[in-house]
Amino acid sequence: MSALLEVTELSKSYQTPYSRVSVLESLSFQLRSAEKLAVVGTSGVGKSTLLHCLGLLDRPDSGRIIFQGHDVAELTEDQRVELRHFKVGFIFQFHYLIAELTAVENVMLPLLIRAESRSFAHQQAEKFLEAVNLSHRLSHRPGELSGGEQQRVAIARALVHQPELILADEPTGNLDPETATQVFDLLVTRCHELEAGLVMATHNHDLASKLDRVMTMKQGKLC
Ligand SMILES: Nc1ncnc2c1ncn2[C@@H]1O[C@H](COP(=O)(O)OP(=O)(O)OP(=O)(O)O)[C@@H](O)[C@H]1O
Ligand SMILES: [Mg+2]
């Protein structure tokens, strides 16, 4: 399998009014195409920071992120946005669904952003909601869904544009153990069908051990 991501000597720090907090310190790893990687590590070690850099939501101070052979530092802002919209899917611990929109409308969004037609977006959103067993909740707004259902809508939204890389930041962190396992299994199955790579930050070692590889983050590095 070829490399989907090659991360070399990635460093990232945050400047606060009082000090500079060094989070990622020359971190390097590779993710093969369709590989599923768990990132574990204590709270505050930098898992979310890493995912934000990988998903081009934030910029590292130094180091290289090569996505499918292209150095993302060389992309223009428009190209970064395009890469995010076409190739990356995000799932966060808190679902960040839009409260005013129904489940199906939330899932349509990534396709509408890409200027796909409403009818195509609707059809795909229904298909992906069916894949996470939510065909009976298409018209519910997030406030009318359970936590596990909300997170399954968020998974459908992250996958509907068929990205090649899924970044999941503690996607099951707010769920009871049984629902967490169900949501996790759905995520992994759907990723597998799409042959998408997955980087999942989690505190759940049982779920982490079900993925292809587990890396532990310590002192800014993965080991
Ligand atoms: N915008 C910011 N400004 C300053 N410091 C920040 C900022 N964002 C994060 N940090 C610090 O960077 C460190 C890493 O944060 P990060 O959110 O990546 O950790 P994490 O491993 O995801 O933790 P958790 O498991 O609790 O989600 C923390 O010490 C945090 O306080
Ligand atoms: Mg985090």
Side-chain angles (χ1 to χ4, degrees):
M1 274 192 283
S2 55
L4 177 61
L5 269 181
E6 293 174 68
V7 176
T8 313
E9 310 238 319
L10 204 68
S11 294
K12 169 80 185 166
S13 58
Y14 293 106
Q15 182 69 53
T16 71
Y18 316 104
S19 63
R20 180 166 280 278
V21 183
S22 178
V23 181
L24 308 179
E25 295 186 17
S26 291
L27 176 154
S28 300
F29 76 101
Q30 289 201 0
L31 184 78
R32 296 188 308 277
S33 159
E35 187 180 17
K36 295 171 188 57
L37 169 70
V39 176
V40 299
T42 52
S43 178
V45 77
K47 303 180 295 298
S48 297
T49 302
L50 172 63
L51 293 189
H52 291 166
C53 289
L54 297 181
L56 312 188
L57 294 174
D58 205 351
R59 286 177 192 269
D61 301 337
S62 60
R64 298 207 318 164
I65 300 173
I66 310 284
F67 189 102
Q68 294 180 324
H70 300 285
D71 188 338
V72 301
E74 289 169 8
L75 302 179
T76 63
E77 198 49 46
D78 284 352
Q79 288 170 325
R80 285 170 71 89
V81 169
E82 188 173 310
L83 193 143
R84 261 204 316 268
H85 287 168
F86 281 79
K87 304 230 169 182
V88 183
F90 269 102
I91 303 160
F92 300 94
Q93 181 174 1
F94 304 101
H95 53 74
Y96 294 120
L97 298 172
I98 296 178
E100 293 76 20
L101 300 183
T102 63
V104 77
E105 287 166 345
N106 267 285
V107 177
M108 287 167 68
L109 281 179
L111 294 172
L112 296 179
I113 286 170
R114 281 169 42 164
E116 303 282 1
S117 72
R118 281 195 78 80
S119 62
F120 176 73
H122 199 280
Q123 176 209 330
Q124 289 297 106
E126 277 195 18
K127 181 173 139 193
F128 277 79
L129 281 166
E130 186 185 347
V132 293
N133 305 328
L134 280 176
S135 292
H136 58 310
R137 293 286 184 266
L138 299 182
S139 313
H140 283 234
R141 294 195 165 72
E144 300 159 349
L145 295 168
S146 74
E149 288 172 341
Q150 290 167 349
Q151 206 52 320
R152 282 186 278 151
V153 176
I155 289 173
R157 182 187 54 183
L159 301 183
V160 71
H161 57 302
Q162 311 200 13
E164 284 159 66
L165 174 65
I166 315 277
L167 301 170
D169 196 355
E170 301 189 33
T172 61
N174 278 328
L175 305 176
D176 66 82
E178 197 177 321
T179 311
T181 303
Q182 282 170 7
V183 168
F184 171 87
D185 287 344
L186 272 170
L187 170 61
V188 172
T189 308
R190 300 283 90 85
C191 273
H192 194 70
E193 285 167 3
L194 293 176
E195 298 182 16
L198 171 69
V199 182
M200 185 174 99
T202 181
H203 287 286
N204 187 325
H205 287 262
D206 290 339
L207 297 183
S209 66
K210 292 186 182 181
L211 297 185
D212 298 332
R213 196 154 50 113
V214 182
M215 298 192 85
T216 304
M217 225 173 141
K218 259 189 206 148
Q219 291 166 350
K221 292 191 166 63
L222 285 170
C223 46

